[in-house]
Amino acid sequence: MTTSKPETNTAAKGAKARATPPPPTADNGVTMQDGRYALPTTVTIDLPAGYKPNAKEEYMSPRQLQYFRSKLSKWREELVEESRQTIESLRDEVRDVGDEAERATRETENSLELRTRDRYRKLIAKIDKALKRIEEGRYGFCEETDEEIGIDRLEARPIATLSLDAQERWEHRQKQMGD
């Protein structure tokens, strides 16, 4: 009698799996927002080593979202670390330089470092917005047209918010306004 009970449970699980396939165990906690996957920060999906999204998979599946979340998080960590090192180097730098030419050179270098750091700050804000879109189920879709941005474009620019066509239209409008 104890052997028939596990068989019944296994059969019931098998029938249920055929009726509506359950998500992989690693996908527990993944939600749907407007028919799209959303990946809460509390959910982590184990990806196979060397995983790269491809066009044969469902677009912005939980695996793809995890891939881009990992890519964005790593990029963010690198930028934060570089910014921290810049701040430390500027703080540790000796300010009492006797030669005016050397002082001017250091001021120019510091100015460039601070501009780079400001660009990093803006880039980190864009990365944070992309991570938020992953949580909300909006990542990978154009903010203007709601079309797929595309895996190749996101690989090249993971913070992209516009499809290539929408980006070109935006750039064209900017160019016209600048003329």
Side-chain angles (χ1 to χ4, degrees), residues 26 36-37 58 158 173:
R36 296 180 181 157
Y37 292 105
E58 179 182 8
R173 284 191 303 268

Side-chain angles (χ1 to χ4, degrees), residues 119-132:
R119 278 196 300 268
Y120 285 178
R121 181 186 55 80
K122 291 175 183 175
L123 190 52
I124 288 169
K126 288 181 179 181
I127 291 170
D128 288 341
K129 287 179 183 177
L131 290 168
K132 186 73 173 165

Side-chain angles (χ1 to χ4, degrees), residues 83-171:
S83 292
R84 189 188 60 72
Q85 288 174 1
T86 299
I87 292 168
E88 284 181 16
S89 101
L90 290 175
R91 194 176 299 150
D92 294 343
E93 189 175 288
V94 177
R95 295 284 177 206
D96 296 327
V97 180
D99 183 47
E100 286 184 32
E102 191 173 333
R103 188 176 313 136
T105 301
R106 284 196 181 187
E107 289 295 325
T108 302
E109 289 171 356
N110 289 349
S111 177
L112 288 171
E113 285 289 332
L114 290 172
R115 269 191 275 170
T116 300
R117 191 167 148 250
D118 189 51
R119 278 196 300 268
Y120 285 178
R121 181 186 55 80
K122 291 175 183 175
L123 190 52
I124 288 169
K126 288 181 179 181
I127 291 170
D128 288 341
K129 287 179 183 177
L131 290 168
K132 186 73 173 165
R133 287 193 312 273
I134 288 172
E135 284 180 58
E136 296 170 348
R138 298 182 299 120
Y139 184 79
F141 295 91
C142 180
E143 289 183 345
E144 187 178 297
T145 64
D146 207 35
E147 297 171 345
E148 294 179 2
I149 292 174
I151 297 295
D152 292 340
R153 177 156 166 74
L154 290 170
E155 275 286 353
R157 186 154 177 85
I159 57 173
T161 59
L162 299 173
S163 66
L164 197 51
D165 290 341
Q167 181 71 36
E168 288 173 355
R169 284 191 301 274
W170 182 85
E171 288 173 3

Side-chain angles (χ1 to χ4, degrees), residues 19-74:
T20 54
T25 311
D27 291 352
N28 285 343
V30 174
T31 60
M32 293 286 274
Q33 301 290 330
D34 299 323
R36 296 180 181 157
Y37 292 105
L39 194 61
T41 55
T42 56
V43 177
T44 303
I45 297 171
D46 293 327
L47 298 175
Y51 172 80
K52 291 271 189 199
N54 66 58
K56 294 177 185 174
E57 295 177 286
E58 179 182 8
Y59 187 72
M60 288 302 118
S61 65
R63 280 179 137 191
Q64 289 183 355
L65 290 172
Q66 179 64 45
Y67 171 82
F68 284 110
R69 180 167 67 185
S70 297
K71 185 173 187 158
L72 287 161
S73 296
K74 182 180 178 198

